[in-house]
Amino acid sequence: MISAVIPAYNEADRIGQVIRECFRYCDEVIVIDDGSIDNTAKEASKYGAKVIRNSSNKGYIYSIKRGFRAAAGDIVVTIDADGEHCPSDIPIITKPILYDQADIVLGARDKIDRISERLISLIVRLKTGIRDSGTGFRAIKRSLALNLKYKGICICGISVLEPWLKGAHILEIPIRLNSVDKKRKIAWGHIIQIFYVLLLIFKRKRFK
C-alpha cells in the first residue's frame, strides 16, 4: 500500500489537481493543512483526501511527521502541494522500495534554485554522494520514516543525513518538474540549517 503525504499552506487553487493525480498511483492521500487561511482543507476533502489540520502554521517538518504517523501504507510518498512535482513519477520512485532495492528514494531535481540550498546539498554530497538533499519529492519506507527525528529548521540535508546515519539504503532518481509560481520566502533559516547539517556530518554512521 502506498500513501501520499502532502503538506499544504494556502494551496486551495492547486491542491485539487495534485490530489486527483496522486490517487492514480496511491492508495490513500493525506493532506496536512498547515494553518491555511484559505479553503485548502475544504478543497482537499472535496477531492477525497484525508485532511489533518494544524492549529497554526507549524512548518514543513512538523506537517510531514504528522502525515507519516497517519499513513496506512508501507511506503509513504511526500509531494509538494503546488503542482511542481509530477505524480506520474510516483511509480518510478516507489519501484526500488517495492523491490527491496532501497529504503528511501529521492526525486532529484535537475536544477536547485536557491544558493543556500545548493550549498547544503554540496556539503551533504561530499559525505553521502547524494546530489539533491533538499527535494520535497521522495518515497520512504514508513517503518524508517517513523524512526527519523527530522530535527532542524527545514528538511534540507537532514532528509538524507538522518537515514544515512542509520545505515539506510538511499537512491536518487531524476524527476521532471512542472513550471509553477513558487511561494518562496527568503531562506534565512538555511544559514542555521547549514550548522546543523555540519553537526550531523561529523556523526558516526550506524548500520542496521
Side-chain angles (χ1 to χ4, degrees), residues 112-130:
I112 302 173
D113 292 329
R114 285 175 168 162
I115 294 174
S116 56
E117 198 174 331
R118 290 203 298 269
L119 178 57
I120 292 172
S121 288
L122 175 61
I123 294 169
V124 174
R125 184 179 184 179
L126 292 173
K127 188 73 171 181
T128 67
I130 298 298

Side-chain angles (χ1 to χ4, degrees), residues 171-187:
L171 294 178
E172 56 181 346
I173 295 176
I175 57 167
R176 300 161 294 162
L177 292 179
N178 296 315
S179 179
V180 298
D181 178 22
K182 298 292 287 186
K183 299 176 180 178
R184 294 197 186 277
K185 298 178 181 178
I186 298 175

Side-chain angles (χ1 to χ4, degrees), residues 22-170:
C22 282
F23 267 124
R24 295 177 60 190
Y25 309 100
C26 300
D27 300 286
E28 70 171 353
V29 176
I30 300 170
V31 171
I32 300 86
D33 177 20
D34 191 22
S36 298
I37 57 174
D38 66 359
N39 289 323
T40 294
K42 182 178 180 180
E43 287 296 307
S45 295
K46 185 172 74 174
Y47 282 88
K50 176 181 178 180
V51 178
I52 299 172
R53 302 192 70 174
N54 294 339
S55 57
S56 59
N57 188 233
K58 302 286 189 179
Y60 183 87
I61 291 178
Y62 181 91
S63 296
I64 63 167
K65 288 171 73 172
R66 288 196 76 183
F68 290 156
R69 292 193 296 269
D74 299 315
I75 299 174
V76 180
V77 173
T78 64
I79 186 168
D80 287 357
D82 59 12
E84 181 179 43
H85 301 140
C86 301
S88 57
D89 282 337
I90 290 174
I92 298 173
I93 67 169
T94 55
K95 184 177 179 180
I97 299 178
L98 288 168
Y99 285 88
D100 203 27
Q101 297 169 342
D103 300 306
I104 178 171
V105 180
L106 307 172
R109 297 165 291 178
D110 180 59
K111 180 182 178 183
I112 302 173
D113 292 329
R114 285 175 168 162
I115 294 174
S116 56
E117 198 174 331
R118 290 203 298 269
L119 178 57
I120 292 172
S121 288
L122 175 61
I123 294 169
V124 174
R125 184 179 184 179
L126 292 173
K127 188 73 171 181
T128 67
I130 298 298
R131 186 183 65 82
D132 184 1
S133 63
T135 178
F137 191 32
R138 67 185 74 81
I140 182 171
K141 289 182 179 178
R142 181 172 179 266
S143 57
L144 172 61
L146 292 175
N147 282 300
L148 297 175
K149 295 180 180 179
Y150 276 161
K151 289 184 177 179
I153 302 298
C154 65
I155 203 70
C156 298
I158 63 173
S159 64
V160 170
L161 286 172
E162 287 197 22
W164 185 82
L165 286 166
K166 290 180 177 293
H169 187 188
I170 306 170

